[in-house]
Amino acid sequence: MSDAPQLVVAVDRVRCIGSGLCARTAPADLVLSPDGRAAPARPATEGSAELTEAAEMCPVEAITVRDAATGELIAPAW
Amino acid sequence: MTTDATTGSADPQPLVPLHCLLRGEAGPPRQAVLPTGTPVWVLTRHADVRQALAHPALGRASLYAPDAPPTVLTPNILDDPSSILNSDGPGHQAIRRTVQRAFTPRAIERWRPWVAGVVRELVDGLVASGSPAEVVESLTKPLPVRVISRLMELEGLDTDRLGYWSDHALSTTAYSAEEIAAAIREFGEFGHQLVLERRKNPGEDLVSSLVRAADQTGEMTEAQITSLTIGLVIAGHETTMTSFGNALVYLLDPRRAEHPGAAAGAWRRIGEDPAAAVAATEQILRTVPLGDRTNAPGQLRRATADVEIGGVVIPAGAVVAADTTAANADPEVYPPGPLDLFAPLGTPSLTFGAGPHHCLGAWLARMELELGLHHLARALPGLRLATPVDRIEWRTGLLTRSPLRLEVAW
């Protein structure tokens, strides 16, 4: 087990417009489903610069990255 | 028939306002033919359109491949192979990443107080000029031009020159191929000079940041950087002006309402309640199209592999038109019948597209329209059209159609 906080990625599938930017930016954490909407690639993650970038770059802000323990919003940051 | 960007009134038959255009009914994929004679699969259901626009095997670059069938009679700026619009996959994302951060909802929200200030200033000027007044030159055109000029630091831009460039750049039948090519060439020279200048003396503006980002990664050609720059100038004002003008025709059309006084009541509510302006903006964007779409029955894509959509296998090489206007009225997604202007959408409309090419400026356009409608209705709750709808002069022969002039009174 690593000391890094466990993070949970969520995608608002109603908002998602399937730009695919996230899946290309952070392929370890986000994938594009066959229906053209993004989805988390795994239940929890340690996070990465790429994941933060993916959440910050989403054209419709459909992605959130939260601390699994506290629920604190890690990305996107204002 | 004369079709010219400046002489819409020469049409013998009055053109119907955009909100009265007949739209295709949502249904299974059907085959049609483009004005060039090229067969096309037309998609009209919300789910099919959305799937097509997000599908990696339905691209834009393939429309311009050497083996591609002709899809436009007279090419304009949207047919530039260097454009972000006509690139796909990693190359497209490399371009989009240079500007995406400036257009997220959070980034756009930071501009709200400033945009509201510009709107109030323009509305105050309109009110001070007295009734009747012309609203295109005084509000719907200058608002988006002021906003994109500020974002790109284009202060001092010659707006007549800009009008000449954008009318030609988005022409379908208004100008000859030679006239269009000459205008786009000149516009491109303006864009390239801007790129060179901002590379040398960078500032905090959008052009400087996109040039810096592109130069850092080295993933964009100079032609792509220039194309993106002038594309932002055009996209930043033309569509918002069109949408704002057509929204006013819709909202102020006295024949629109189901019962007398309903239209006036809705207009007042937009001025009284900012949340009502937000909801109405979304419904107007969903239901009032930007143009007549005589050039194509939807957003074009070309299959690079066999693709199954809506129960039909679209073969590799075939052209697809995603009809977002029909999809935005799909009864499976949006309740049919009279429009409730203030009802939340539930499912996002496809007005700004979907997939990799989802409109970069969607949030900026929404904000300009919402603030423009709210502040105008707040200042002038008794606003009405001073010209009958069937005598409106339209800008025609372009991809978009909007009033050339719109006389209002209060």
Side-chain angles (χ1 to χ4, degrees):
Chain A
M1 285 292 284
S2 146
D3 290 338
Q6 286 287 297
L7 306 177
V8 174
V9 180
V11 176
D12 181 335
R13 290 171 60 83
V14 175
R15 274 179 87 88
C16 175
I17 44 86
S19 78
L21 274 167
C22 61
R24 205 177 288 276
T25 305
D29 284 308
L30 288 144
V31 292
L32 210 52
S33 312
D35 70 353
R37 288 171 167 84
R42 43 188 173 174
T45 172
E46 290 181 0
S48 62
E50 291 76 22
L51 176 58
T52 301
E53 187 183 1
E56 289 185 346
M57 203 170 280
C58 173
V60 293
E61 271 166 28
I63 302 168
T64 51
V65 182
R66 292 182 184 276
D67 186 305
T70 66
E72 184 198 351
L73 184 68
I74 306 296
W78 272 82
Chain B
M1 189 177 83
T2 310
T3 51
D4 185 285
T6 54
T7 58
S9 59
D11 289 331
Q13 288 290 320
L15 292 165
V16 298
L18 279 298
H19 65 270
C20 298
L21 282 180
L22 292 176
R23 48 170 72 86
E25 261 179 51
R30 60 180 175 82
Q31 284 185 291
V33 178
L34 294 174
T36 54
T38 297
V40 60
W41 280 99
V42 183
L43 308 176
T44 51
R45 289 188 291 224
H46 193 281
D48 295 349
V49 166
R50 195 187 185 291
Q51 189 192 349
L53 292 176
H55 203 294
L58 291 173
R60 285 284 307 174
S62 49
L63 285 166
Y64 300 93
D67 70 333
T71 50
V72 287
L73 292 172
T74 312
N76 63 26
I77 202 165
L78 304 191
D79 303 300
D80 172 7
S82 304
S83 168
I84 183 171
L85 304 173
N86 299 323
S87 52
D88 294 319
H92 168 261
Q93 294 213 355
I95 301 175
R96 183 150 183 152
R97 292 170 77 92
T98 63
V99 284
Q100 179 58 58
R101 274 178 193 278
F103 290 97
T104 62
R106 299 183 316 290
I108 292 304
E109 197 55 33
R110 293 186 192 111
W111 288 99
R112 179 175 292 272
W114 183 82
V115 173
V118 174
V119 169
R120 280 196 300 265
E121 184 191 320
L122 293 171
V123 168
D124 287 350
L126 179 79
V127 173
S129 74
S131 174
E134 198 287 299
V135 80
V136 173
E137 286 299 324
S138 60
L139 180 60
T140 65
K141 189 149 104 181
L143 171 63
V145 171
R146 287 269 298 270
V147 171
I148 198 66
S149 296
R150 174 71 183 82
L151 261 59
M152 302 181 78
E153 297 284 359
L154 305 176
E155 275 80 1
L157 175 69
D158 179 343
T159 51
D160 289 341
R161 210 73 204 138
L162 177 61
Y164 159 77
W165 289 332
S166 52
D167 280 354
H168 284 73
L170 297 175
S171 164
T172 51
T173 57
Y175 302 102
S176 71
E178 294 71 30
E179 288 170 323
I180 294 169
I184 293 176
R185 205 160 43 239
E186 191 192 297
F187 192 19
E189 280 161 20
F190 160 83
H192 192 223
Q193 285 308 313
L194 193 61
V195 166
L196 295 176
E197 179 207 308
R198 299 293 157 88
R199 183 177 279 138
K200 208 167 138 196
N201 300 307
E204 296 301 308
D205 61 286
L206 190 55
V207 184
S208 298
S209 66
L210 87 84
V211 171
R212 195 182 307 123
D215 289 352
Q216 271 169 11
T217 63
E219 289 178 309
M220 277 172 78
T221 66
E222 196 73 353
Q224 287 174 324
I225 297 173
T226 299
S227 167
L228 180 60
T229 301
I230 62 173
L232 289 169
V233 177
I234 290 279
H237 83 278
E238 165 69 33
T239 46
T240 304
M241 175 189 79
T242 298
S243 193
F244 197 175
N246 289 328
L248 289 175
V249 175
Y250 169 73
L251 289 168
L252 303 176
D253 180 354
R255 305 168 310 177
R256 170 176 68 84
E258 283 68 50
H259 57 90
W267 177 251
R268 247 181 232 111
R269 188 168 163 192
I270 288 170
E272 285 161 2
D273 178 6
V278 172
T281 295
E282 289 297 329
Q283 291 288 4
I284 289 167
L285 285 168
R286 174 175 78 83
T287 52
V288 184
L290 282 175
D292 296 289
R293 299 177 315 140
T294 46
N295 58 315
Q299 305 290 322
L300 298 185
R301 299 288 188 272
R302 186 161 175 247
T304 53
D306 290 359
V307 174
E308 191 184 333
I309 298 212
V312 170
V313 175
I314 293 168
V319 176
V320 170
D323 182 348
T324 53
T325 306
N328 277 344
D330 185 343
E332 293 286 316
V333 180
Y334 305 107
L339 174 64
D340 178 355
L341 199 53
F342 303 107
L345 272 192
T347 306
S349 80
L350 292 163
T351 299
F352 295 109
H357 296 283
H358 177 266
C359 176
L360 191 60
W363 300 97
L364 186 59
R366 282 186 170 103
M367 191 168 79
E368 289 182 47
L369 189 55
E370 166 208 323
L371 291 172
L373 293 173
H374 172 63
H375 286 287
L376 183 61
R378 196 166 76 156
L380 298 170
L383 195 69
R384 64 182 194 277
L385 293 183
T387 308
V389 170
D390 58 7
R391 296 200 26 217
I392 290 173
E393 290 178 56
W394 299 94
R395 304 168 72 237
T396 58
L398 312 177
L399 281 171
T400 61
R401 174 155 71 86
S402 62
L404 188 60
R405 303 171 47 76
L406 193 62
E407 304 285 345
V408 292
W410 59 90

